[in-house]
Amino acid sequence: MRSEDHNEHRPDTILDNLKTAVVCLDDQLRVTYLNTASEMLFGVSARHCDQEAFDKALPYLADHRGRLIAALTEGAAYTERELHLRAGGGDPLIVDCTVTPFTDQAGESALLLEFLSLDRQLRISRDDQMRIQNLANREMIRGMAHEIKNPLGGLRGAAQLLEREIDDDGLKEYTTVIIREADRLQNLVDDLLGPRRPPNKQLLNIHEPLEHVRALIDTELPPGITLERDYDPSIPEVRADREQLIQTFFNLVGNAVTALGTSGNILLRTRTQRLFTIGGVKHRLVTRVDVVDNGPGIPRDLLPRIFHPMVSSRAEGTGMGLPIAQYLIHLHDGLIECESRPGQTMFSVFLPMEASDG
Ligand SMILES: Nc1ncnc2c1ncn2[C@@H]1O[C@H](COP(=O)(O)OP(=O)(O)OP(=O)(O)O)[C@@H](O)[C@H]1O
Ligand SMILES: [Mg+2]
């Protein structure tokens, strides 16, 4: 091993690349160390937490003082599974937590706390399953769509020839129905086959396609629906296909408008997010675009299937909007996630910002 390699594997570097959140407390339960995963899990900065009382620095742990003191005084390690940590009125963090007492360099008692976020773990394995399932579905659907496309063309052509031969207007109505319905099927088959070209990726500011969609939708918005923006102007450019992003955002915002009906609020939000795993690949930086509405939410039984083709709760919906959007974002190595409950539905589009690091 060369000497430079040594530096790359310093404990701090390793700890900061761990998915497990690690926190150290001294014998007064003050924070003496916090790794990057902890910053992300608890939404705090290591610098601000340094030497702070643990419950002030990490309000999620405030209820655990008794157990921490016991671990410190008795010198006994413990592990708690599926712990629901709460701070204020927000959603709980679901973690596995291990607390291990140790003696620090100065000979004082100290505690090592490890947290494994289950929420994210569960989600990653779910996302992976979804990607694999999506790819398998796509193959099957494309195969079937091709099989339907050819005879459909024949049917339509024959109906057109027949139409020319018929003089009776009453009979012509029938051929018109055949042609119209064949066209409808043709559109559906085209949707099922997916985009006809590979993405044409260019560096672009994510707000440009987003604003394009906002302006398009704004003109036809019912007066009771408001469309708000919360953009992070410092987001670096992403390499993406502008048209495909427009199609994706149009689908998501369109669904939100449909779900709201005549009144409600839609929020378009952009952020960057560090260390995010998509399909088993860890990305250092991703752009996140959230489309949030305060509508009725997605029916519970539908929620696990909304990215599957032809799943729709609307009589006139084809149920192709979300699977196509997911597929277009997959072409960018990205992912669309959805969280929904009555009163809040959020679709988040994640786009990697740079080459992945494996
Ligand atoms: N913001 C939302 N709020 C509530 N339900 C939603 C929302 N977005 C999607 N859905 C649900 O997911 C279903 C699937 O959406 P998708 O866009 O795939 O198809 P669709 O809108 O029904 O039809 P299409 O987009 O093909 O016209 C919708 O029918 C609806 O039930
Ligand atoms: Mg739709």
Side-chain angles (χ1 to χ4, degrees), residues 56-70:
K56 196 157 163 251
L58 305 166
Y60 279 104
L61 302 183
D63 294 344
H64 295 256
R65 173 182 294 275
R67 302 217 56 178
L68 294 173
I69 290 176

Side-chain angles (χ1 to χ4, degrees), residues 156-166:
R156 192 186 190 285
Q160 260 178 324
L161 288 177
L162 198 60
E163 189 168 49
R164 269 185 233 147
E165 299 298 320
I166 297 174

Side-chain angles (χ1 to χ4, degrees), residues 138-153:
R138 273 210 67 73
E139 284 309 304
M140 195 185 80
I141 289 163
R142 284 178 69 90
M144 278 173 51
H146 269 298
E147 291 302 314
I148 295 170
K149 205 176 160 88
N150 292 337
L152 198 58

Side-chain angles (χ1 to χ4, degrees), residues 132-313:
I132 293 165
Q133 170 117 48
N134 263 355
L135 287 175
N137 282 346
R138 273 210 67 73
E139 284 309 304
M140 195 185 80
I141 289 163
R142 284 178 69 90
M144 278 173 51
H146 269 298
E147 291 302 314
I148 295 170
K149 205 176 160 88
N150 292 337
L152 198 58
L155 273 178
R156 192 186 190 285
Q160 260 178 324
L161 288 177
L162 198 60
E163 189 168 49
R164 269 185 233 147
E165 299 298 320
I166 297 174
D167 294 328
D168 182 340
D169 277 351
L171 290 178
K172 262 192 183 163
E173 247 177 60
Y174 294 124
T175 52
T176 310
V177 170
I178 297 175
I179 292 170
R180 191 184 64 217
E181 294 300 297
D183 285 344
R184 211 161 67 90
L185 263 179
Q186 181 68 52
N187 285 339
L188 176 63
V189 166
D190 284 343
D191 274 353
L192 291 171
L193 282 170
R196 266 166 289 269
R197 59 175 178 81
N200 171 19
K201 294 184 189 170
Q202 284 162 349
L203 270 183
L204 53 84
N205 182 329
I206 192 76
H207 301 118
E208 198 278 319
L210 206 49
E211 277 295 282
H212 183 86
V213 168
R214 194 186 64 86
L216 273 180
I217 290 199
D218 219 15
T219 54
E220 297 190 0
L221 213 54
I225 299 184
T226 46
L227 197 49
E228 272 179 60
R229 286 171 289 179
D230 174 4
Y231 293 166
D232 174 354
S234 69
I235 293 182
E237 294 191 315
V238 286
R239 188 171 289 283
D241 183 308
R242 179 175 179 272
E243 298 303 320
Q244 294 184 348
L245 288 189
I246 287 177
Q247 192 180 345
T248 301
F249 297 146
F250 196 78
N251 266 314
L252 298 181
V253 183
N255 279 351
V257 174
T258 311
L260 289 175
T262 53
S263 69
N265 181 53
I266 301 171
L267 171 68
L268 305 178
R269 180 169 53 209
T270 59
R271 291 289 184 270
T272 53
Q273 195 159 325
R274 295 180 59 206
L275 299 182
F276 193 81
T277 303
I278 301 171
V281 179
K282 190 166 100 190
H283 298 278
R284 256 182 251 129
L285 197 65
V286 298
T287 296
R288 195 182 89 214
V289 179
D290 296 330
V291 178
V292 191
D293 71 70
N294 64 352
I298 297 172
R300 268 189 102 77
D301 58 324
L302 217 62
L303 192 55
R305 298 182 290 126
I306 46 164
F307 289 105
H308 292 185
M310 300 184 153
V311 172
S312 176
S313 63

